[in-house]
Structures are given as C-alpha cells and as structure tokens.
Amino acid sequence: MAQWAKLQQLQGEALKQVQNVYGDHFPLEVRFVLAQWIEDIPWSELDPDNPNHENYAARLAVSLIQELENKASSDDLNFVMKLKLDEAAVYFRDHYSSNPQQLMKVIKNCLQAEHNAIQLAENPCVHVPNQILSTSHVHQEISQHLDKLKKKTQETEEEVRRIQQEQESFVIQYQESAKRQAQIQQLTNQSNTHSNVEMLNKLQREKELLDDALRQRATSLVQQRQALADRQQDTLMQVHALQTRVLDDELIKWKRNQQLSGNGAVFENNLDQVQEWCELLVEIIWQNRQQIKRVEMLCSQLPINSPMGNILERFRSLNSDITGLLSSLVTSTFVIEKLPPQVMKTNTRFTATVRLLVGGKLNVHMTPPQVRVTIISEAQANSLLKNKVGMTEASGEILNNTGTMEYHQATRQLSVSFRNMQLRKIKRAEKKGTESVMDEKFSLLFQSEFKVGGEELVFRVWTLSLPVVVIVHGNQEPHAWATVTWDNAFAEPGRVPFAVPDKVPWPQMAEVLNMKFHAACGQGLSADNFQYLATKGFRNSQIQDFSNMMITWSQFCKEPLPDRNFTFWEWFYAIMKVTREHLRVLWNDGVIIGFIGRRNAEEMLLKRPSGTFLLRFSDSELGGVTIAWVAEDPQQEMHDVFMLQPFTGRDFSIRSLADRINDLKHLLYLYPDRAKDEAFGKYYTPFTENQPPSSNGYVKPVLVTHIPGLTGMVSGLESFPGTPQSYFPPHSPDTGGYIDPSSMPSSGDQPMHAGAAVSDMDYDLLGMDLMSGDMDVPVDFSTINVSDLVAYTKSE
C-alpha cells in the first residue's frame, strides 16, 4: 500500500505528529494532490547535500511547481483548494527556486515523519524516538497555554469595559453632586425664606444620597481597579513564563538544531510553528498592553486614593513590564532563517535570509525596515554581547550587504533574502602560537531598526550568524571545516563568543563523526569503525576502551598522525569526500569495510581462500582506497596478502571502483565469502564487444585496470589476454606495502599498452594487446601499411 494511503488511516497522536511537520513551508494540501507524483521519486537515492544532485534538485523544484500549477488550474478541485495550491506555488517559487536542495530536504523530512508515524501505528512496540513523542506533547501544552491566555485577555477586556462604564457613571453622578453643591451654595447666599429653606433641605438630602452613591462607586472602582491589576499581574507572569518557554526553549532549540544541521544532523525546520506561537504571544501582549494603558489613563482622569497604595503607579509598573516583554519578544524573533556558509571564501557569492517572526502582526511592513549586514571578529562579537547595542565597525567589506524586508501575504512572513553578497576583504587579528587563519572565527551581524504603534515604540534589532571561517584558497577548506565542526558540535548555550572546550569525551566526538559521515555518505559508522577511529585519533592501538577518554582539539586537527604529514581530521575528511563523491552506493551497500587497520586486514584475509579481498581506506594516502587480497604463491607454497596502490577520487572519475574490481580477474570473493559478481555486478558498467559508434562517429575506448605479472600468483588463473606471466615478489613491497604496477618487475617482452597512464596504473585499450604474446622477433613496421590495420569508422 502506498504511504499516503496508509497515512490516511492514522488517528490520534500519530496523526498529530504528521500534521505538526507540515505547514506553509510544505502544506499538507500539496502532499494530498501530488501524493503519487511525490512517492514515485526515488528519495532514498537523493542527497540534498551532494553537489552532484544540485541539477536534479533544481529540475525537481521546477517540476513540482509546474505540477502544482497544473492541479490548481484543473476543474477537479474546489475554489479554496485551488487558492491554497496557487499560494503554495508562489511560496515555493519565492523560497526554493534559488535553493532547490532545501525543498528536497523539506520533502524528505516530511516523508520520514510520515514513515515514523505509520510504523508506530502498525507496530506499537517499535521504538520511536522519545524526542518525537515529547515534541508533540510540548506543542500541545504550548497551544493549550496560549488558548488560556487568549481567554484571560478576553475576560480582562470585559473588565476594562466595565471599569470604564463604572467610571463614566461615577463622573456623571459626581457632576450631579457638584451641581447640587452649587445650588446649595446659591441658596445659602439668599434670604432664608420658607421656600428657600425647603429647597435647600431637599438639595442637601439629594446631595447626601449622591455622595453616598459616589462613595460606594469609588470603593467599587478602587476594588475593580485593584482586581484588574491583580489579574493583569497574573496574566503578565503567565505570558512571561510562556514566552520564556517559546524563546529560551523552542526558539533556542531551533537555533541549536540549525547549528547541528551544519554537521549533518537532520533539521526538522519548525520555524513556522515557532512563528505561529510568537504571533499569538505578541497579539496577547499587545492587547493586554492596550488594556493596561487604558486603565492607566482612566486612573489619571479620576485619581481615587486607596489604602492599598497608589493604583496608578501599579498600572504604570505593569505597563513598563509588559512593554519589556514586547521588546524582548520582538528583538528575539529577528532570526537568520537561512544561514550564510560557515566556510566562506573571499570573492565568492553567498546568500542568507533573515526573518522577523512577529513583523506581520505588528504591521512593521507598513514602513519597510532596512537590514544591513557586516562581518565582525570574535572580539567584536564579544563586545557586542556585553554592550547589547549595534555596531558600525566591521572586520571586512561585503558587497550587496543591504536589503529591505518585505511582507509575503501568502506565507505571512516578513523577511529579506540577500542573494548576491560577496566578501571582498577581511581584516584578521594577530595570530598567537600555533594559530592559523583557519582557526579564526568571524560572524555576520544583521542589523535593522523599525517603529510600531504609530511610532510609539522604536526597536533596534540585531542578530549574529553562527561562526564563519574565512578562507582564500580551496586547500584551506579541510582545516576550516574542522573549526566549524568542532564549534557546531560543542558550543554551549550562552557562551562567550566563540568559546569552545579544548577537549571533549570521545563518545561525543564519535557521535559527531558519525553524524558527518551519515549526512555525507548516506550510511553511518559501526562500532568497529568507531574503535578503529579511536585508535587513529589517540594514536594508540593498544587501548580497547576509549569511552572514558578525552580527545583534544590538537589531537583532532593540529597534530599530524605518526609518520604522516596530515592530521586525523584531514585523513577522515578526505575519506568522507571520496566516499561521498565516488563510493556512496558501495558504502551504503556494505561492500566496503573501509575503516580497518592493515594488520587486521591481513589477519582476516589469511584465514580465507585465495582470491578473497576486501576494501579499506588507506592510512598513508589521503582519500585513498586500497584493495587487499590473499593469494597463493606456488613457489613458496604459502598464502600472502597484497595491497594494491590506493585509488583516489581522480582515479574513480576515470573508472569506477566496481569496474576496476571487475577488471581484476584474480579477485574472486568479497570478504568473507561473497562472490564478487554478486556483490558488485549491479554496479558494473555495461559493455559489449560490438560497441556502436557515438554520434560524432568515433568508437569509444574503454580503459581496463591491469596489473603486470599477476597470473603466476593465482595458479594459472587468467587476468587479461597478454598479461605477462611473471611472479609477485614473495612479500609485499617495502614501499608502503603496496603493489605499484609502475615498479613491478616485468619480462623483457613487456607488451605495449594503448591508453592513458593515470595514477600510476596501466590500462589496456578494450583489453587488447597491440603485440602478440608469442612474437619473438622484432617486426619491421616500415614494411607494413599501418593505416590498413586501424579500424576507422566515419560518421554518416
């Protein structure tokens, strides 16, 4: 059954979990009308972070928008659904056209959430991350709390209205009393006639009744004002608690998850949900603030002394407190929705998007604010947080660094996207000790100013990006990513910019490496991988338990590995890069052991039959992958393990690893006992002997991996026609233990091979020798018309 069909059968908590992941960023209505289209796409094979998938992501975004527009124009949908789909198409075009990989991430996250919810419903005993369940519970609690505050605000609005009516009645009665007093005064000054005396007594009785009523009304007004102040105080405390929960828990959690996504963690972007909470909060705060101001004005118009203190001062204090809450909410919701790159190269275009979550509710767009971007140093960021004010001084020059915030009606978002920023210059601090430019952290500062409430309130807002490392050359990139990875992983909330611990527990580091590798390559690391990585990181293969050990920043990326000129991180980064770009499907299929030491590989292979092989990452060559195999030497009557000179990404761009393994006929079984063709057959490049000419009329050659002198080592097993019948040395070569075909001993009749010599490997053109293996006399080529021997195909 299709996933969408199963999804429609969900009920209760499982259905709520799914609903929570959908929103304006990807409406549930879009999922509904494009259900089949979405599920026909091979999402498991797509990686939003893989540069090789960028073109596909762009085509996917265009196709999705086209599908939406086609559905919206059809007659099968009602008017409301058509409007919703049109809005979604506009949103997707505005937000994802320039960043189609983000759309890919959003859809994959939604589908994964659906899958989790369906699994939970079908198999209640299946483990579902507590985070998913707790998140749903938190969302429900916040929504319930907001509903209660909205109800309290409506109730206090009624109280304010009653106080105002009561005060108006009081004023009318007070005027009547004053009128009687004036009449009494007038009669008192006249002659004491009988009629005057009677009128005077009547007026005095009426005034006494009015005064009694006024005293009662005054007491009632004082009590109502006091009760309202108590209720407003209670509302204020609840708003403060909820706002703290939304800003200090949920929004900070969103920022933390955004930071961890820089290390490859799955980022379930719920910023739209946070915005909804913040918008409801700002509505509640604004309404209560208006109520307090109205009562404050009423108290000023009619001051009534109270034994419980000056009620006017109390409302003024409440006004100040709630304005402070409003200011905190506004300044905290000026956020960077799309971060700039954390490894930033000078003179290279980059993008960023900032958003004011409560901007729409405060009508900030009526006077659209300008946002300015500058780059500041770590010291400047520290000073900024201490002084809590904006800055004008910068540590570099950024082109196209100003923009105007715009309100998007369809999404109710006030934001600005900087699409063409470029860092032209950077001013660096003086280095200390072993520091390098790749250790230095900067941050992008986004600043703006706007007015709300008829220019009653002026807000100066700013926010800092995550730390960025500025480089000028691609070879600085690995170390720069080490700095960024360490900062993303181990930064603590509320830290001094941009302080990080100098050492961390190994289990935490292992989790980071797993996160990075999983995001880049599609499959994470195993316990054996972690053990091997620990021996590399700590430069100690004797320790078995690393769980209580601390790895330092220096061990991670400053100190070279023993007998090497590169660090642990550079070694790991190169492996991750070659796997992501060339070996991803093989790694995910589990045919690459990869993280295994040379000695362990030899011990494993020596227990297996000849022709058994495994794939491991090189210790000595960055991003290198070597094939280790066991073979029997007929002269020595013993098994020995050989390791081929490592292949690198440059080699794989010419011929894939699977095809190279297919070329080497002496490789029979993938460790421990899996037939080679069974493991790699589906990855071989199809080839037929009679290849048709390409469109340009040329016959395309095929480069074949070939190791001279191999056949004797595999007891007569043929490699390729014309392979010399010489033997390997009895032991692995001294030069790193690798078999380097360029240094192998060969017979005097070494055949001539056509094709390019790449990465010290020899290649046969279509597996054919240009000289016969039994030719023992030199050939006089001058007597042969060579042109007649060459197959040539003309384009028609």
Side-chain angles (χ1 to χ4, degrees):
M1 185 186 297
Q3 185 162 304
W4 177 252
K6 293 181 180 179
L7 188 70
Q8 295 179 76
Q9 298 176 3
L10 294 181
Q11 296 178 351
E13 191 63 31
L15 183 59
K16 287 181 181 178
Q17 288 178 28
V18 175
Q19 290 174 327
N20 285 334
V21 301
Y22 285 96
D24 290 332
H25 62 290
F26 194 76
L28 192 58
E29 292 85 351
V30 174
R31 176 70 174 98
F32 167 64
V33 299
L34 298 183
Q36 190 61 49
W37 185 88
I38 289 173
E39 292 186 26
D40 285 343
I41 295 171
W43 296 104
S44 60
E45 300 176 12
L46 301 179
D47 179 12
D49 297 317
N50 189 340
N52 296 329
H53 293 182
E54 287 183 5
N55 291 336
Y56 185 89
R59 293 195 299 271
L60 177 70
V62 171
S63 299
L64 188 144
I65 294 171
Q66 185 65 50
E67 288 288 329
L68 273 183
E69 291 174 340
N70 291 342
K71 289 287 186 182
S73 62
S74 70
D75 297 329
D76 300 335
L77 302 176
N78 60 47
F79 177 72
V80 175
M81 180 65 82
K82 288 182 178 181
L83 285 181
K84 186 66 179 178
L85 296 185
D86 280 332
E87 289 178 1
V90 171
Y91 179 88
F92 290 171
R93 186 172 281 108
D94 289 343
H95 286 75
Y96 300 134
S97 292
S98 61
N99 186 16
Q101 297 98 316
Q102 182 62 31
L103 176 61
M104 190 185 288
K105 285 183 181 179
V106 167
I107 299 176
K108 289 192 72 170
N109 287 341
C110 291
L111 294 176
Q112 185 60 50
E114 291 178 9
H115 178 72
N116 292 340
I118 291 169
Q119 276 202 323
L120 178 63
E122 293 179 345
N123 305 289
C125 296
V126 172
H127 171 70
V128 175
N130 292 330
Q131 185 179 1
I132 296 177
L133 301 177
S134 63
T135 297
S136 177
H137 181 66
V138 167
H139 289 185
Q140 187 176 6
E141 282 188 352
I142 292 175
S143 297
Q144 290 174 351
H145 204 165
L146 283 166
D147 288 340
K148 289 179 182 178
L149 285 172
K150 286 170 64 177
K151 186 177 180 181
K152 283 178 67 71
T153 302
Q154 292 169 356
E155 292 171 353
T156 50
E157 178 65 30
E158 290 298 321
E159 287 190 38
V160 172
R161 191 175 291 111
R162 285 196 296 270
I163 289 174
Q164 184 172 354
Q165 292 172 350
E166 187 74 17
Q167 183 161 319
E168 288 172 351
S169 299
F170 181 92
V171 170
I172 291 172
Q173 283 193 327
Y174 184 84
Q175 289 174 342
E176 288 294 325
S177 177
K179 183 178 177 182
R180 298 293 188 276
Q181 181 62 37
Q183 291 174 339
I184 290 172
Q185 187 64 40
Q186 186 179 4
L187 288 174
T188 302
N189 296 332
Q190 294 178 3
S191 57
N192 292 329
T193 62
H194 179 70
S195 60
N196 285 350
V197 170
E198 287 185 351
M199 179 62 70
L200 184 62
N201 291 335
K202 178 185 177 183
L203 290 172
Q204 286 177 339
R205 286 195 298 272
E206 289 178 355
K207 186 178 183 306
E208 287 176 1
L209 290 173
L210 287 170
D211 287 349
D212 286 341
L214 283 172
R215 280 191 289 272
Q216 291 177 5
R217 284 186 179 275
T219 302
S220 175
L221 269 175
V222 169
Q223 292 173 346
Q224 289 182 58
R225 288 175 178 178
Q226 195 67 47
L228 180 62
D230 291 340
R231 295 202 63 175
Q232 289 284 7
Q233 185 73 49
D234 181 61
T235 300
L236 198 64
M237 291 174 61
Q238 292 190 40
V239 168
H240 182 267
L242 184 57
Q243 180 168 308
T244 299
R245 187 172 186 178
V246 171
L247 298 182
D248 293 355
D249 292 345
E250 298 305 312
L251 186 56
I252 293 298
K253 186 189 299 180
W254 177 85
K255 291 181 178 181
R256 179 59 179 153
N257 290 338
Q258 185 188 44
Q259 184 176 26
L260 289 175
S261 70
N263 278 1
V266 176
F267 181 32
E268 294 186 6
N269 190 348
N270 68 328
L271 189 60
D272 290 340
Q273 174 68 79
V274 176
Q275 172 168 320
E276 184 179 332
W277 293 332
C278 292
E279 287 179 333
L280 290 171
L281 272 172
V282 81
E283 280 185 348
I284 292 168
I285 290 174
W286 190 262
Q287 290 170 9
N288 279 277
R289 184 173 181 273
Q290 295 302 106
Q291 292 173 13
I292 291 171
K293 287 177 63 179
R294 282 163 55 195
V295 177
E296 191 179 340
M297 182 182 67
L298 291 173
C299 291
S300 299
Q301 292 173 346
L302 183 60
I304 302 176
N305 294 328
S306 168
M308 300 183 68
N310 191 335
I311 194 69
L312 176 60
E313 287 301 319
R314 187 174 179 191
F315 276 103
R316 285 174 177 167
S317 176
L318 287 171
N319 188 5
S320 175
D321 291 344
I322 203 165
T323 301
L325 280 180
L326 177 64
S327 177
S328 175
L329 181 60
V330 171
T331 54
S332 298
T333 54
F334 184 65
V335 299
I336 305 174
E337 181 179 6
K338 180 186 176 185
L339 289 163
Q342 287 189 264
V343 174
M344 188 176 295
K345 192 176 179 182
T346 54
N347 298 311
T348 302
R349 186 181 73 91
F350 66 93
T351 63
T353 300
V354 290
R355 179 166 154 190
L356 182 61
L357 302 184
V358 297
K361 288 296 180 182
L362 294 177
N363 293 320
V364 173
H365 54 283
M366 301 304 290
T367 307
Q370 292 277 321
V371 179
R372 181 170 176 265
V373 189
T374 53
I375 188 166
I376 62 175
S377 67
E378 183 173 332
Q380 289 170 326
N382 199 351
S383 174
L384 173 65
L385 289 183
K386 285 181 180 178
N387 300 327
K388 300 294 183 183
V389 294
M391 296 181 62
T392 55
E393 185 181 357
S395 289
E397 177 187 340
I398 299 178
L399 295 182
N400 305 314
N401 67 329
T402 58
T404 302
M405 301 196 83
E406 298 177 355
Y407 183 69
H408 305 278
Q409 186 69 40
T411 60
R412 308 189 324 275
Q413 294 176 6
L414 183 72
S415 63
V416 55
S417 292
F418 297 89
R419 302 182 186 278
N420 293 291
M421 286 193 290
Q422 190 176 107
L423 180 62
R424 295 299 304 274
K425 296 179 182 178
I426 192 67
K427 187 193 305 179
R428 299 190 183 274
E430 292 185 7
K431 301 296 174 290
K432 302 176 182 177
T434 60
E435 288 183 353
S436 70
V437 295
M438 290 83 77
D439 296 322
E440 187 175 7
K441 302 173 191 174
F442 296 88
S443 182
L444 264 62
L445 171 65
F446 296 80
Q447 300 179 86
S448 186
E449 179 180 306
F450 53 88
K451 301 173 183 178
V452 297
E455 301 190 0
E456 174 194 0
L457 297 173
V458 179
F459 293 102
R460 293 180 178 86
V461 296
W462 56 265
T463 187
L464 284 173
S465 75
L466 292 175
V468 300
V469 177
V470 178
I471 63 174
V472 296
H473 195 278
N475 60 12
Q476 297 174 318
E477 194 169 296
H479 191 136
W481 274 115
T483 301
V484 167
T485 299
W486 189 280
D487 191 278
N488 285 344
F490 308 121
E492 297 178 355
R495 63 170 174 175
V496 175
F498 293 107
V500 286
D502 183 58
K503 57 184 178 180
V504 296
W506 169 251
Q508 292 184 21
M509 173 53 66
E511 183 181 351
V512 173
L513 298 178
N514 182 58
M515 188 184 296
K516 295 285 290 185
F517 210 87
H518 185 280
C521 307
Q523 183 74 28
L525 304 172
S526 66
D528 289 340
N529 297 155
F530 291 138
Q531 183 69 20
Y532 178 68
L533 288 169
T535 63
K536 297 285 286 188
F538 290 105
R539 286 79 166 164
N540 191 329
S541 59
Q542 304 303 316
I543 302 176
Q544 296 300 313
D545 184 8
F546 295 90
S547 58
N548 296 318
M549 296 184 66
M550 305 285 284
I551 186 169
T552 65
W553 164 250
S554 184
Q555 289 172 320
F556 178 64
C557 79
K558 302 294 279 187
E559 300 172 3
L561 292 173
D563 303 321
R564 302 285 181 253
N565 59 357
F566 47 80
T567 65
F568 170 80
W569 168 256
E570 287 172 327
W571 172 80
F572 180 82
Y573 182 86
I575 289 172
M576 188 166 58
K577 186 174 186 294
V578 75
T579 305
R580 181 189 67 203
E581 295 176 357
H582 301 286
L583 309 175
R584 183 183 175 89
V585 292
L586 298 180
W587 173 260
N588 292 335
D589 204 11
V591 298
I592 299 177
I593 293 180
F595 295 101
I596 182 174
R598 178 188 195 83
R599 182 175 301 174
N600 286 347
E602 291 175 345
E603 290 175 355
M604 291 163 57
L605 289 171
L606 285 172
K607 298 175 184 177
R608 309 307 304 174
S610 291
T612 305
F613 68 99
L614 58 79
L615 305 173
R616 58 178 292 267
F617 297 127
S618 172
D619 291 312
S620 59
E621 176 119 12
L622 286 177
V625 180
T626 185
I627 302 173
W629 78 94
V630 62
E632 182 178 350
D633 188 337
Q635 286 188 342
Q636 300 293 331
E637 296 183 356
M638 61 179 291
H639 282 73
D640 205 350
V641 173
F642 301 90
M643 297 191 185
L644 200 59
Q645 180 172 308
F647 297 111
T648 63
R650 183 180 60 174
D651 301 310
F652 297 139
S653 65
I654 297 170
R655 188 156 176 80
S656 72
L657 178 57
D659 285 338
R660 292 175 183 276
I661 291 172
N662 187 30
D663 295 341
L664 301 175
K665 302 306 180 184
H666 67 285
L667 303 180
L668 302 178
Y669 308 104
L670 178 67
Y671 183 88
D673 54 8
R674 188 177 177 187
K676 177 176 74 173
D677 290 344
E678 178 193 335
F680 296 94
K682 57 186 171 183
Y683 304 117
Y684 296 158
T685 301
F687 172 75
T688 58
E689 288 295 335
N690 298 317
Q691 290 277 18
S694 59
S695 58
N696 60 9
Y698 291 109
V699 176
K700 185 178 180 181
V702 176
L703 300 175
V704 178
T705 306
H706 168 69
I707 303 177
L710 180 64
T711 310
M713 288 299 296
V714 289
S715 302
L717 190 70
E718 290 191 3
S719 173
F720 274 89
T723 301
Q725 307 299 307
S726 60
Y727 295 100
F728 282 140
H731 298 288
S732 300
D734 293 334
T735 54
Y738 292 118
I739 294 175
D740 183 349
S742 64
S743 62
M744 284 297 299
S746 60
S747 65
D749 296 328
Q750 178 70 32
M752 183 186 301
H753 296 287
V758 182
S759 296
D760 301 324
M761 294 299 297
D762 291 334
Y763 299 94
D764 288 338
L765 181 61
L766 299 177
M768 298 173 60
D769 290 335
L770 297 184
M771 295 180 65
S772 169
D774 1 304
M775 184 181 297
D776 17 294
V777 291
V779 179
D780 183 4
F781 284 96
S782 63
T783 64
I784 300 175
N785 187 346
V786 179
S787 299
D788 293 341
L789 303 179
V790 180
Y792 178 71
T793 305
K794 280 188 176 180
S795 57
E796 297 180 1

